[in-house]
């Protein structure tokens, strides 16, 4: 007997749908703030009267120098605030691995393979562009990242009714993407290592883990400890955002019988607004402020480094994610959900070409020491992300009427119990509730029909009597 065909990108389970909806709601608000911050940075850096103040604020140093933390505002945003972003990413990944879609190897295969292909192909596109053009291969990792907040902001702005399954697919892609990005940063952008500081950071992580295991509670314990771990990681030579991911992965994300939410879910719920609403927008404010002119944009298409970034984000991401998804479905006896078509997957893959936050960070690390090329690569990231957003907008808008029907079907709740009807079709109690609702409606319609029939009979009877009187 042949094995049953498994559907991919089908309807989410109810708990997963609830979690995804809550996460996406926060990320969407954060994405809008991210857009505002990016536009503000571009205006601040490009208006002649304001340019000097942008440079002054970005390069203003503060922090305790004896601890090796006398950093510029721009540096604090990249190494400090983004550690909060990666802390949330670590919790997301842990939850996906132990309680979400990545827990099931069969379900995990699709987003993991798609994410890995969506990183490998852009890197390959960048490498080929620079090998043929004689450019530097240092920026191969720049176009490998997807910015979920920016992508969701685009969805919010264009008003698409993208089904929850595709939104969850995009979110899971970004989670795997973030983990791979932090591994790339840790492995490829670490030069000199201070083993004493690294040992201290490792010891701090052990203490952090032990406190969690013992059930110790209180932000006044964990926040100071987290700051110490972050500072030691920074001074070790490893990018400090690695500390955020490590601590996020240590949190327990499974619920016990007496818990409504696991500690990881609870802390993520508290910290995610800080990450999406403050940390990432401030990073964008001090990283996206590059000088943009006709000459700068023209140079993007003439320098192999910047052209590789644009092509990697726009073409590499799209082909990588779409190809990885198709190959997974092809070789795992899986088929696409009946509600979707491959054109939908292609559109979402195009949307994943929005690299922004992590791409800007990797661009700074890849070309550290070359301020001119760093700014040009940042301009390429902005242009590539904008191009991907425009293409995705066109593709998604073409399918928006179908998406709206799917979305409305997923959200319909005729029995008003707070659970979409589509999740209760196998529950006898649901059908009994619906039968009672329809019986009440039927009884009401019968009363209306009887009343209208009686009124018409009265009109006919009354009209006949008046006609008889006139004849007499």
């Amino acid at each position: 007997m042949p094995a049953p065909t498994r559907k991919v990108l089908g309807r989410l389970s109810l708990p997963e749908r609830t979690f995804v909806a809550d996460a996406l709601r926060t990320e969407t608000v954060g994405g809008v703030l991210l857009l505002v911050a990016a536009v503000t940075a571009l205006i601040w850096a490009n208006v002649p009267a304001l340019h000097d103040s942008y440079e002054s604020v970005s390069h203003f140093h503060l922090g305790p120098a004896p601890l090796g933390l006398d950093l510029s505002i721009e540096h604090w945003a990249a190494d400090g605030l983004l550690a909060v972003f990666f802390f949330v990413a670590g919790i997301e990944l842990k939850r996906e691995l132990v309680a979400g879609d990545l827990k099931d190897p069969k379900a995990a295969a699709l987003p993991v393979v798609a994410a890995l292909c969506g990183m490998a192909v852009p890197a390959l596109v960048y490498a080929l562009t620079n090998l043929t053009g004689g450019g530097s291969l240092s920026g191969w990792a720049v176009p490998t990242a997807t910015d979920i907040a920016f992508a969701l902001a685009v969805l919010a702005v264009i008003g698409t009714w993208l089904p929850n399954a595709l939104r969850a697919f995009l979110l899971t892609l970004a989670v795997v993407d973030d983990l791979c990005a932090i591994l790339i940063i840790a492995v490829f952008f670490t030069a000199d290592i201070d083993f004493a500081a690294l040992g201290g950071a490792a010891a701090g992580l052990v203490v952090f883990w032990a406190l969690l295991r013992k059930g110790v509670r209180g932000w006044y314990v964990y926040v100071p400890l987290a700051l110490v771990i972050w500072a030691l990681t920074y001074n070790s030579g490893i990018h400090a955002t690695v500390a955020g991911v490590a601590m996020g992965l240590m949190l327990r994300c499974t619920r016990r019988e007496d818990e409504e939410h696991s500690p990881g879910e609870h802390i993520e719920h508290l910290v995610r607004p800080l990450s999406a609403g403050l940390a990432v927008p401030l990073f964008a404010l001090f990283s996206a402020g590059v000088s943009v002119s006709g000459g700068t944009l023209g140079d993007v298409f003439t320098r192999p480094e910047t052209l590789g970034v644009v092509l990697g984000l726009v073409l590499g991401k799209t082909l990588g994610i779409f190809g990885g998804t198709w190959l997974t479905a092809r070789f795992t006896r899986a088929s696409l959900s009946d509600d979707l078509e491959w054109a939908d997957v292609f559109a979402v893959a195009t949307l994943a070409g929005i690299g922004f936050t992590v791409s800007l960070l990797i661009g700074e690390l890849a070309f550290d020491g070359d301020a001119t090329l760093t700014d040009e690569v940042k301009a390429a990231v902005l242009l590539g992300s904008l191009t991907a957003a425009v293409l995705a907008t066109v593709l998604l808008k073409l399918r928006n009427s179908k998406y709206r029907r799917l979305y409305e079907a997923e959200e319909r709740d005729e029995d008003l119990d707070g659970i979409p009807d589509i999740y209760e079709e196998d529950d006898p109690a649901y059908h009994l509730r619906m039968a009672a609702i329809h019986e009440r409606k039927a009884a009401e319609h019968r009363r209306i029909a009887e009343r209208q029939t009686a009124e018409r009979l009265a009109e006919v009877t009354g009209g006949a009597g008046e006609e008889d009187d006139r004849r007499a």
Side-chain angles (χ1 to χ4, degrees):
M1 181 178 177
T5 301
R6 184 172 58 86
K7 298 292 184 182
V8 297
L9 297 180
R11 187 190 314 154
L12 302 177
S13 65
L14 186 58
E16 187 70 8
R17 173 188 175 277
T18 303
F19 172 81
V20 167
D22 182 56
L24 293 180
R25 192 178 303 113
T26 304
E27 291 288 357
T28 300
V29 174
V32 173
L33 294 175
L34 178 61
L35 284 172
V36 172
V39 172
T40 301
L42 289 171
I43 294 173
W44 193 0
N46 285 277
V47 173
L50 301 175
H51 176 76
D52 290 343
S53 66
Y54 181 79
E55 292 293 321
S56 298
V57 173
S58 297
H59 297 113
F60 180 79
H61 278 65
L62 72 160
L67 299 179
L69 297 175
D70 181 20
L71 311 178
S72 67
I73 296 293
E74 182 181 4
H75 208 161
W76 275 110
D79 283 44
L81 291 177
L82 279 195
V84 179
F85 166 79
F86 279 108
F87 174 70
V88 174
I91 300 175
E92 287 178 341
L93 179 65
K94 180 69 173 289
R95 196 203 71 85
E96 288 288 343
L97 289 171
V98 302
D101 285 347
L102 300 183
K103 181 180 180 181
D104 179 5
K106 291 182 179 179
L110 179 68
V112 170
V113 171
L116 293 177
C117 291
M119 300 187 79
V121 176
L124 181 61
V125 169
Y126 178 92
L128 290 175
T129 304
N130 282 268
L131 285 173
T132 56
S136 170
L137 294 178
S138 300
W140 64 269
V142 175
T144 60
T146 293
D147 192 314
I148 185 63
F150 210 140
L152 292 173
V154 171
L155 292 179
V157 170
I158 66 177
T160 184
W161 299 84
L162 197 67
N164 285 324
L166 287 176
R167 291 175 184 266
F169 176 60
L170 188 62
L171 179 62
T172 308
L173 271 176
V175 171
V176 179
D177 196 296
D178 289 339
L179 173 67
C180 293
I182 202 68
L183 290 175
I184 288 173
I185 291 170
V187 174
F188 295 99
F189 296 102
T190 298
D192 300 323
I193 297 180
D194 184 331
F195 288 99
L198 183 61
L205 288 172
V206 170
V207 173
F208 189 87
W209 177 80
L211 292 173
L212 290 173
R213 292 277 293 183
K214 290 182 176 295
V216 176
R217 298 185 178 183
W219 65 268
Y220 46 84
V221 174
Y222 291 102
V223 171
L225 178 58
L227 291 175
V228 171
I229 294 171
W230 174 86
L232 288 169
T233 304
Y234 174 81
N235 282 287
S236 73
I238 295 176
H239 200 272
T241 51
V242 174
V245 171
M247 287 183 280
L249 288 171
M250 288 183 178
L251 292 173
R252 177 170 58 83
C253 293
T254 53
R255 301 178 190 177
R256 294 173 178 167
E257 292 183 359
D258 58 339
E259 292 179 335
E260 183 178 355
H261 301 288
S262 67
E265 291 173 322
H266 176 66
I267 293 173
E268 181 185 7
H269 180 74
L270 294 176
V271 179
R272 184 187 285 276
L274 175 64
S275 169
L278 181 66
V280 174
L282 281 178
F283 168 76
L285 181 64
F286 293 108
S287 291
V290 296
S291 298
V292 178
S293 64
T296 303
L297 295 178
D299 290 343
V300 167
F301 296 101
T302 56
R303 289 199 66 154
E305 294 89 352
T306 51
L307 180 61
V309 169
V310 174
L311 293 178
L313 287 172
V314 178
L315 295 179
K317 270 291 183 182
T318 303
L319 296 177
I321 292 173
F322 180 80
T325 305
W326 185 86
L327 288 172
T328 303
R330 174 67 178 81
F331 291 105
T332 59
R333 293 179 179 246
S335 64
L336 194 64
S337 169
D338 295 335
D339 294 330
L340 301 174
E341 297 179 13
W342 285 109
D344 303 313
V345 180
F346 188 86
V348 170
T350 304
L351 186 65
I354 300 174
F356 204 72
T357 303
V358 180
S359 291
L360 290 175
L361 174 62
I362 295 177
E364 291 179 355
L365 298 174
F367 299 104
D368 186 27
D370 189 339
T372 301
L373 186 53
T374 298
D375 283 350
E376 290 177 347
V377 167
K378 286 183 178 182
V381 170
L382 294 174
L383 185 59
S385 297
L386 179 61
T387 303
V390 172
L391 290 175
T393 297
V394 173
L395 294 174
L396 291 171
K397 277 294 188 182
L398 292 174
R399 307 278 295 167
N400 207 33
S401 58
K402 179 177 181 178
Y403 294 156
R404 182 164 189 164
R405 292 194 297 271
L406 292 175
Y407 183 86
E408 290 174 347
E410 289 180 358
E411 298 297 316
R412 188 176 297 115
D413 182 19
E414 292 187 4
D415 61 343
L416 302 178
D417 66 344
I419 300 174
D421 297 338
I422 203 168
Y423 289 97
E424 299 184 294
E425 293 174 345
D426 296 327
D427 183 2
Y430 161 75
H431 292 286
L432 291 174
R433 289 196 300 272
M434 290 305 300
I437 290 172
H438 288 302
E439 286 168 1
R440 287 196 297 271
K441 289 182 178 179
E444 178 64 23
H445 284 297
R446 289 192 194 97
R447 286 195 293 271
I448 293 172
E450 291 171 356
R451 186 181 70 249
Q452 290 177 346
T453 301
E455 290 174 351
R456 289 181 181 176
L457 288 173
E459 290 177 0
V460 171
T461 303
E466 292 172 0
E467 183 65 25
D468 292 341
D469 292 339
R470 283 196 296 272
R471 288 180 182 177

